[in-house]
Amino acid sequence: DVQMTQSPYNLAASPGESVSINCKASKSISKYLAWYQQKPGKANKLLIYDGSTLQSGIPSRFSGSRSGTDFTLTIRSLEPEDFGLYYCQQHNEFPFTFGSGTRLESK
Amino acid sequence: QVTLKESGPGILQPSQTLSLTCSFSGFSLSTYGMCVGWIRQSSGKGLEWLANIWWNDDKFYNPTLKNRLTISMDISNNRAFLKIINMDPADTATYHCVRGAGPARAYFDYWGQGVMVTVSS
């Protein structure tokens, strides 16, 4: 199985700041990585797929990038509603696997 | 508007069989290429993909759990199901129903909020 190593575990930032969350695949997954946001009491939200394609309806302050097996989710100019949990998922091969999550908290 | 909602027993004893139902709307599993899956989330293992079922009844399972899982669907009533046999306390988790997206239906564009399942004697 492809192991997804996500970092950092916790991240504290203030509204208006920019943050980055990283995910490293244990082997090549080409561009096939998705990012999700999780918030209490709400269904998980797909943010990005194929490494850098923004899902419809997601604000453009979210972006994804890739360098080899390293992937980054960047959120520019944080809004209050952006605080929560973030997960990456490789969608290159079965079984699909997830990162361990990053908790983005308000400083 | 796409929605998915899971239902299940809430609590089970070890060795029992878990039966989960996903009731969805806004799409149909009779549509070419459509897919529904199950993902669980526990404090110990994080998010774990379990199984997908496609419009043509193709099924893919996580090999780690394959011998214990059965995914099925009721196209007429817009429902999907997951059975897990021989439940263990380690299977305690929130179980999510998801819709597969993309050409390979390999990521998930809609999630249900999940149903909490506790395995305890």
Side-chain angles (χ1 to χ4, degrees):
Chain A
D1 299 0
V2 180
Q3 306 302 314
M4 304 303 300
T5 302
Q6 188 172 341
S7 63
Y9 179 74
N10 276 320
L11 188 53
S14 301
E17 291 183 344
S18 295
V19 296
S20 292
I21 298 169
N22 303 299
C23 214
K24 184 176 181 65
S26 61
K27 65 178 191 180
S28 175
I29 56 170
S30 187
K31 65 178 180 177
Y32 300 114
L33 187 100
W35 291 98
Y36 301 92
Q37 180 190 65
Q38 184 175 81
K39 301 184 79 171
K42 292 191 171 184
N44 291 352
K45 183 184 291 187
L46 172 67
L47 303 173
I48 284 169
Y49 59 92
D50 289 351
S52 61
T53 303
L54 205 62
Q55 171 69 351
S56 175
I58 301 301
S60 59
R61 64 180 180 274
F62 291 88
S63 64
S65 62
R66 169 202 173 199
S67 175
T69 58
D70 292 307
F71 295 80
T72 301
L73 172 70
T74 300
I75 313 172
R76 291 181 293 103
S77 192
L78 279 166
E79 296 285 342
E81 62 266 28
D82 297 337
F83 296 101
L85 279 163
Y86 290 83
Y87 292 92
C88 62
Q89 177 229 331
Q90 64 83 14
H91 59 92
N92 183 61
E93 63 180 61
F94 288 106
F96 309 127
T97 47
F98 292 83
S100 56
T102 294
R103 183 176 300 275
L104 175 58
E105 298 176 321
S106 180
K107 196 183 291 183
Chain B
Q1 181 188 3
V2 173
T3 64
L4 304 104
K5 186 173 177 61
E6 308 87 348
S7 57
I11 188 162
L12 290 177
Q13 293 190 342
S15 80
Q16 288 188 318
T17 295
L18 172 65
S19 294
L20 296 172
T21 299
C22 173
S23 301
F24 55 85
S25 63
F27 67 98
S28 173
L29 267 172
S30 65
T31 301
Y32 178 89
M34 200 56 69
C35 172
V36 167
W38 289 91
I39 291 168
R40 71 181 180 182
Q41 183 168 20
S42 64
S43 54
K45 286 191 173 182
L47 286 162
E48 183 177 28
W49 170 78
L50 300 176
N52 277 10
I53 187 166
W54 269 261
W55 64 284
N56 59 355
D57 208 34
D58 274 351
K59 300 160 189 175
F60 278 80
Y61 295 103
N62 189 321
T64 302
L65 291 141
K66 181 176 181 179
N67 292 340
R68 299 174 53 210
L69 301 176
T70 304
I71 191 170
S72 59
M73 61 183 178
D74 174 1
I75 291 179
S76 301
N77 292 297
N78 286 342
R79 294 188 302 177
F81 310 97
L82 183 71
K83 284 193 176 180
I84 307 179
I85 64 171
N86 197 20
M87 290 288 281
D88 181 87
D91 297 311
T92 293
T94 297
Y95 287 76
H96 296 274
C97 179
V98 293
R99 188 179 82 162
R105 303 292 186 245
Y107 55 91
F108 309 104
D109 59 351
Y110 289 94
W111 294 59
Q113 288 197 34
V115 59
M116 180 68 190
V117 175
T118 300
V119 184
S120 175
S121 54

